[in-house]
Amino acid sequence: EAAVTQSPRNKVTVTGGNVTLSCRQTNSHNYMYWYRQDTGHGLRLIHYSYGAGNLQIGDVPDGYKATRTTQEDFFLLLELASPSQTSLYFCASSDVGSQNTLYFGAGTRLSVL
Amino acid sequence: QQKVQQSPESLIVPEGGMASLNCTSSDRNVDYFWWYRQHSGKSPKMLMSIFSNGEKEEGRFTVHLNKASLHTSLHIRDSQPSDSALYLCAASTPSGSWQLIFGSGTQLTVMP
């Protein structure tokens, strides 16, 4: 099964702080995604990428930057964290060969105080 | 307004019973649906997908799709306590096939 690893698993920061969430996939998938999950909202797409150096905007991009440095690595950056960004963040990968099935990492729980 | 709407928000069924979950898209361009299952404290995992009218069965799980009404349903027969989870419906369009839109989910509890 596809392997997607996220770090850290938990993170606490203060309002205005700088946070980087990391994601690595080892399945040679072209597509990688960042979602946030909040009660009552399901999963909402923040950013996604179809290859190194590429970035596409999702449905809730405000306050987030992302960077895909290699095929394996996708980072989510919060440069001025706000309490509204307290959430559970999931990274996922997919590809044509997997019929666009998303393979999710274990998630990062972020608290912004 | 969410483009993918699920009902009910929560559902309780007895062990051995039938669970029926619904999902509708308000985007007429949607052509593909997925069902994901997320156990408490875990990440979502794909359960089934469907893009043709009709039904698809895998073990105790059956998915129906009516493309005219953009409605899909997931039915779980002989429900087990291990089926207790959040069930998420997702949809995509041909122009945004790599961009899945998720509903807010149905929380299923199977009572022993």
Side-chain angles (χ1 to χ4, degrees):
Chain A
E1 184 168 303
V4 179
T5 304
Q6 291 183 236
S7 62
R9 293 294 313 278
N10 293 280
K11 176 73 177 177
V12 180
T13 190
V14 295
T15 300
N18 218 317
V19 176
T20 298
L21 306 185
S22 302
C23 178
R24 166 165 282 202
Q25 57 97 3
T26 57
N27 305 292
S28 303
H29 285 172
N30 285 323
Y31 283 81
M32 294 185 75
Y33 308 79
W34 278 107
Y35 284 90
R36 61 177 289 175
Q37 185 173 35
D38 306 287
T39 304
H41 289 281
L43 288 161
R44 291 184 289 176
L45 182 63
I46 303 170
H47 290 297
Y48 67 105
S49 165
Y50 57 74
N54 175 265
L55 182 65
Q56 302 294 316
I57 292 172
D59 297 319
V60 290
D62 292 346
Y64 302 96
K65 291 184 179 178
T67 180
R68 181 92 175 266
T69 54
T70 64
Q71 186 177 34
E72 294 78 20
D73 298 303
F74 196 29
F75 300 93
L76 186 68
L77 295 80
L78 292 73
E79 293 184 331
L80 285 171
S82 73
S84 64
Q85 293 176 309
T86 292
S87 187
L88 179 58
Y89 291 86
F90 284 105
C91 176
S93 72
S94 72
D95 214 339
V96 173
S98 64
Q99 296 181 316
N100 202 19
T101 296
L102 293 175
Y103 292 90
F104 287 89
T108 295
R109 187 165 293 281
L110 174 66
S111 295
V112 183
L113 305 177
Chain B
Q1 184 183 3
Q2 280 195 321
K3 290 183 180 178
V4 175
Q5 294 179 305
Q6 293 187 244
S7 65
E9 286 186 15
S10 62
L11 180 64
I12 300 174
V13 299
E15 184 175 354
M18 173 76 86
S20 295
L21 292 67
N22 299 293
C23 173
T24 302
S25 173
S26 58
D27 185 341
R28 300 301 305 177
N29 297 311
V30 162
D31 69 339
Y32 216 118
F33 286 92
W34 286 262
W35 286 93
Y36 282 76
R37 181 168 68 180
Q38 184 178 20
H39 285 108
S40 180
K42 302 293 187 183
S43 57
K45 283 190 165 53
M46 201 276 285
L47 200 56
M48 295 180 74
S49 63
I50 190 165
F51 63 92
S52 300
N53 262 331
E55 76 173 43
K56 185 174 171 182
E57 182 177 332
E58 290 181 7
R60 297 184 293 110
F61 298 85
T62 302
V63 173
H64 292 270
L65 176 61
N66 180 325
K67 294 192 86 167
S69 61
L70 294 176
H71 178 262
T72 180
S73 57
L74 173 67
H75 305 273
I76 308 172
R77 63 175 170 81
D78 189 24
S79 296
Q80 301 297 307
S82 58
D83 295 326
S84 297
L86 180 67
Y87 289 79
L88 295 160
C89 175
S92 69
T93 64
S95 61
S97 60
W98 298 104
Q99 206 172 334
L100 269 64
I101 306 299
F102 282 84
S104 55
T106 292
Q107 184 67 50
L108 173 66
T109 302
V110 181
M111 301 294 288

